[in-house]
Amino acid sequence: MAKKTKKKTKTHRAKLMHSYFHRTGFYMFIWESLKKAFWPIVIVVASLFLFNKYVYDINEGLHHFTETVSRLTVLIFFFVSETLLGLVPPEMFIAWSKKTPDPILNLAILATLSYCGGLISYFLGKTALKIASVKEYLEVKMAKNLKNTRKWGGILILVGALLPLPFSIACIAAGMIKYPFNKVVFYGLFRFVRFAIYAWAIFQVVH
């Protein structure tokens, strides 16, 4: 009897969450975000394919890059990028990792740096509240992100970790609204899943 009651409670809770997400526009937000991300990704992939075929061998370029730029430099640059609003798409670095002597190890390091960058972004968001000019700028610049984070909390962080949305922005917004850090730590772990999926796809192209 207790098991049935527990199951009913979970089902009821799931229905309430579904109703809430539907009412607040969460599903529409995800759909619109995916639509916005879809065509740029298609254009980038198509451009890379054509560039690789008719202009310059990307595999050769990546090989040259790994020989001329130190691994430490690449990792530091990536970490800074992932901490400060995700300035450079991580896919470029995933492709770089494939051309290194230890692709899986470097991929794991990239995923860890991205995850840690998001956590630092959380504290940057909290710190920004103490600086009036920065707080005002971010509240205007990130008004939509702050509003969405207040509504959906950790689910939005999970979405930022998995989908082609800026993970660090979601974490900064979480810090600004003082969302529980332990939940950011948990939902952010899905960042590793994203890197694994993207690596599987990119590793098929880069040889």
Side-chain angles (χ1 to χ4, degrees), residues 22 40 48 54 66 74 77 83 85-86 89 92 97 102 106 117 140 166 178-179 198 200 204 206:
H22 180 73
L48 286 174
Y54 298 108
T66 57
V74 174
F77 181 77
T83 303
L85 307 180
M92 292 177 58
S97 71
D102 300 298
N106 286 315
V140 173
K178 298 180 180 178
Y179 186 77
Y198 274 61
W200 176 82
Q204 309 302 311
V206 178

Short mmCIF file of all heavy atoms in Angstrom, two decimals, residues 22 40 48 54 66 74 77 83 85-86 89 92 97 102 106 117 140 166 178-179 198 200 204 206:
data_model
loop_
_atom_site.label_atom_id
_atom_site.label_comp_id
_atom_site.label_asym_id
_atom_site.label_seq_id
_atom_site.Cartn_x
_atom_site.Cartn_y
_atom_site.Cartn_z
N HIS A 22 4.70 23.83 -18.64
CA HIS A 22 3.86 24.19 -19.79
C HIS A 22 3.29 25.59 -19.60
O HIS A 22 3.30 26.41 -20.52
CB HIS A 22 2.72 23.18 -19.93
CG HIS A 22 1.82 23.47 -21.09
ND1 HIS A 22 2.19 23.26 -22.40
CD2 HIS A 22 0.55 23.99 -21.14
CE1 HIS A 22 1.22 23.61 -23.21
NE2 HIS A 22 0.21 24.06 -22.47
N PRO A 40 22.44 27.73 -36.98
CA PRO A 40 23.86 28.08 -36.87
C PRO A 40 24.77 26.86 -36.84
O PRO A 40 25.84 26.86 -37.46
CB PRO A 40 23.93 28.84 -35.54
CG PRO A 40 22.58 29.45 -35.38
CD PRO A 40 21.65 28.43 -35.94
N LEU A 48 32.29 24.04 -42.52
CA LEU A 48 33.51 23.29 -42.23
C LEU A 48 33.73 22.18 -43.25
O LEU A 48 34.86 21.94 -43.69
CB LEU A 48 33.43 22.70 -40.82
CG LEU A 48 33.62 23.67 -39.66
CD1 LEU A 48 33.37 22.96 -38.33
CD2 LEU A 48 35.02 24.26 -39.66
N TYR A 54 37.25 21.88 -50.16
CA TYR A 54 37.68 22.70 -51.29
C TYR A 54 38.76 23.74 -50.99
O TYR A 54 39.40 24.25 -51.91
CB TYR A 54 36.46 23.43 -51.88
CG TYR A 54 35.42 22.50 -52.43
CD1 TYR A 54 34.20 22.34 -51.77
CD2 TYR A 54 35.65 21.78 -53.59
CE1 TYR A 54 33.22 21.47 -52.27
CE2 TYR A 54 34.68 20.92 -54.10
CZ TYR A 54 33.48 20.77 -53.43
OH TYR A 54 32.54 19.91 -53.92
N THR A 66 48.25 21.53 -33.07
CA THR A 66 48.70 20.77 -31.88
C THR A 66 50.21 20.75 -31.75
O THR A 66 50.74 20.58 -30.65
CB THR A 66 48.18 19.31 -31.93
OG1 THR A 66 48.63 18.68 -33.14
CG2 THR A 66 46.67 19.26 -31.87
N VAL A 74 46.38 26.04 -24.71
CA VAL A 74 45.03 25.74 -25.19
C VAL A 74 44.08 25.54 -24.01
O VAL A 74 42.97 26.09 -23.99
CB VAL A 74 45.03 24.47 -26.08
CG1 VAL A 74 43.60 24.08 -26.45
CG2 VAL A 74 45.84 24.71 -27.34
N PHE A 77 43.35 28.87 -22.20
CA PHE A 77 42.46 29.70 -23.01
C PHE A 77 41.03 29.17 -22.95
O PHE A 77 40.06 29.93 -22.81
CB PHE A 77 42.94 29.72 -24.47
CG PHE A 77 42.10 30.57 -25.37
CD1 PHE A 77 42.21 31.96 -25.35
CD2 PHE A 77 41.18 29.99 -26.22
CE1 PHE A 77 41.41 32.75 -26.18
CE2 PHE A 77 40.38 30.77 -27.05
CZ PHE A 77 40.50 32.16 -27.03
N THR A 83 34.70 30.16 -18.50
CA THR A 83 34.37 30.90 -17.27
C THR A 83 33.70 32.23 -17.60
O THR A 83 32.77 32.65 -16.91
CB THR A 83 35.63 31.16 -16.43
OG1 THR A 83 36.27 29.91 -16.13
CG2 THR A 83 35.29 31.85 -15.12
N LEU A 85 31.47 33.62 -19.92
CA LEU A 85 30.34 33.64 -20.86
C LEU A 85 30.46 32.70 -22.05
O LEU A 85 29.69 32.82 -23.01
CB LEU A 85 30.09 35.07 -21.36
CG LEU A 85 29.92 36.14 -20.29
CD1 LEU A 85 29.69 37.50 -20.93
CD2 LEU A 85 28.79 35.81 -19.34
N GLY A 86 31.39 31.74 -22.02
CA GLY A 86 31.51 30.77 -23.11
C GLY A 86 31.81 31.45 -24.43
O GLY A 86 31.08 31.30 -25.42
N PRO A 89 33.12 28.48 -28.92
CA PRO A 89 32.40 27.20 -28.90
C PRO A 89 33.31 26.05 -28.48
O PRO A 89 34.41 25.89 -29.03
CB PRO A 89 31.95 27.02 -30.36
CG PRO A 89 31.94 28.40 -30.92
CD PRO A 89 33.04 29.14 -30.23
N MET A 92 35.24 23.38 -30.95
CA MET A 92 36.57 23.59 -31.54
C MET A 92 37.65 22.88 -30.71
O MET A 92 38.57 22.28 -31.25
CB MET A 92 36.88 25.09 -31.62
CG MET A 92 36.02 25.83 -32.62
SD MET A 92 36.37 27.61 -32.61
CE MET A 92 38.11 27.63 -32.98
N SER A 97 41.21 18.13 -29.27
CA SER A 97 41.59 16.99 -28.41
C SER A 97 41.78 15.71 -29.21
O SER A 97 42.61 14.87 -28.87
CB SER A 97 40.54 16.77 -27.31
OG SER A 97 39.33 16.26 -27.84
N ASP A 102 46.79 12.02 -26.59
CA ASP A 102 45.88 11.40 -25.63
C ASP A 102 44.49 12.05 -25.73
O ASP A 102 44.10 12.84 -24.85
CB ASP A 102 46.41 11.55 -24.20
CG ASP A 102 47.77 10.91 -24.03
OD1 ASP A 102 47.87 9.69 -24.21
OD2 ASP A 102 48.73 11.65 -23.72
N ASN A 106 42.57 14.29 -22.78
CA ASN A 106 42.40 15.73 -23.00
C ASN A 106 40.92 16.11 -23.08
O ASN A 106 40.53 17.20 -22.63
CB ASN A 106 43.13 16.17 -24.27
CG ASN A 106 44.63 16.21 -24.07
OD1 ASN A 106 45.12 16.72 -23.07
ND2 ASN A 106 45.39 15.66 -25.00
N GLY A 117 34.62 25.85 -14.79
CA GLY A 117 34.39 27.22 -15.25
C GLY A 117 32.98 27.68 -14.94
O GLY A 117 32.76 28.83 -14.54
N VAL A 140 20.56 44.22 -16.53
CA VAL A 140 19.97 44.66 -17.80
C VAL A 140 20.32 43.68 -18.91
O VAL A 140 19.46 43.23 -19.68
CB VAL A 140 20.45 46.08 -18.16
CG1 VAL A 140 19.97 46.47 -19.57
CG2 VAL A 140 19.94 47.09 -17.15
N PRO A 166 24.77 28.79 -23.66
CA PRO A 166 25.93 29.17 -22.81
C PRO A 166 25.77 28.68 -21.37
O PRO A 166 24.94 29.19 -20.62
CB PRO A 166 25.94 30.69 -22.90
CG PRO A 166 25.18 31.02 -24.14
CD PRO A 166 24.13 29.96 -24.26
N LYS A 178 21.23 33.79 -6.20
CA LYS A 178 21.62 33.00 -5.03
C LYS A 178 20.94 31.63 -4.99
O LYS A 178 20.47 31.17 -3.95
CB LYS A 178 21.34 33.79 -3.75
CG LYS A 178 22.14 35.09 -3.68
CD LYS A 178 21.86 35.85 -2.41
CE LYS A 178 22.68 37.15 -2.36
NZ LYS A 178 22.42 37.95 -1.17
N TYR A 179 20.89 31.00 -6.15
CA TYR A 179 20.35 29.64 -6.24
C TYR A 179 21.30 28.70 -5.48
O TYR A 179 22.52 28.91 -5.51
CB TYR A 179 20.26 29.23 -7.72
CG TYR A 179 19.58 27.90 -7.95
CD1 TYR A 179 18.20 27.80 -7.89
CD2 TYR A 179 20.32 26.76 -8.23
CE1 TYR A 179 17.57 26.58 -8.11
CE2 TYR A 179 19.70 25.54 -8.45
CZ TYR A 179 18.33 25.46 -8.37
OH TYR A 179 17.71 24.25 -8.58
N TYR A 198 29.04 15.07 -27.91
CA TYR A 198 29.63 15.89 -28.97
C TYR A 198 30.96 15.29 -29.45
O TYR A 198 31.27 15.35 -30.64
CB TYR A 198 29.86 17.32 -28.48
CG TYR A 198 28.64 18.20 -28.64
CD1 TYR A 198 27.45 17.90 -27.98
CD2 TYR A 198 28.67 19.32 -29.45
CE1 TYR A 198 26.33 18.70 -28.12
CE2 TYR A 198 27.55 20.14 -29.60
CZ TYR A 198 26.38 19.82 -28.93
OH TYR A 198 25.27 20.60 -29.07
N TRP A 200 31.76 12.15 -29.49
CA TRP A 200 31.44 10.98 -30.34
C TRP A 200 31.16 11.42 -31.77
O TRP A 200 31.63 10.80 -32.73
CB TRP A 200 30.22 10.24 -29.77
CG TRP A 200 29.79 9.10 -30.64
CD1 TRP A 200 30.30 7.83 -30.68
CD2 TRP A 200 28.77 9.15 -31.66
NE1 TRP A 200 29.67 7.09 -31.65
CE2 TRP A 200 28.73 7.87 -32.26
CE3 TRP A 200 27.90 10.15 -32.11
CZ2 TRP A 200 27.84 7.56 -33.29
CZ3 TRP A 200 27.02 9.85 -33.13
CH2 TRP A 200 26.99 8.57 -33.71
N GLN A 204 34.07 11.42 -35.33
CA GLN A 204 33.79 10.71 -36.58
C GLN A 204 34.30 11.48 -37.79
O GLN A 204 34.59 10.91 -38.84
CB GLN A 204 32.27 10.49 -36.73
CG GLN A 204 31.57 9.86 -35.55
CD GLN A 204 32.13 8.51 -35.18
OE1 GLN A 204 32.32 7.64 -36.02
NE2 GLN A 204 32.39 8.33 -33.89
N VAL A 206 36.82 14.19 -37.51
CA VAL A 206 38.26 14.49 -37.38
C VAL A 206 39.02 13.17 -37.26
O VAL A 206 38.70 12.33 -36.42
CB VAL A 206 38.52 15.36 -36.12
CG1 VAL A 206 40.01 15.62 -35.97
CG2 VAL A 206 37.75 16.66 -36.23
#
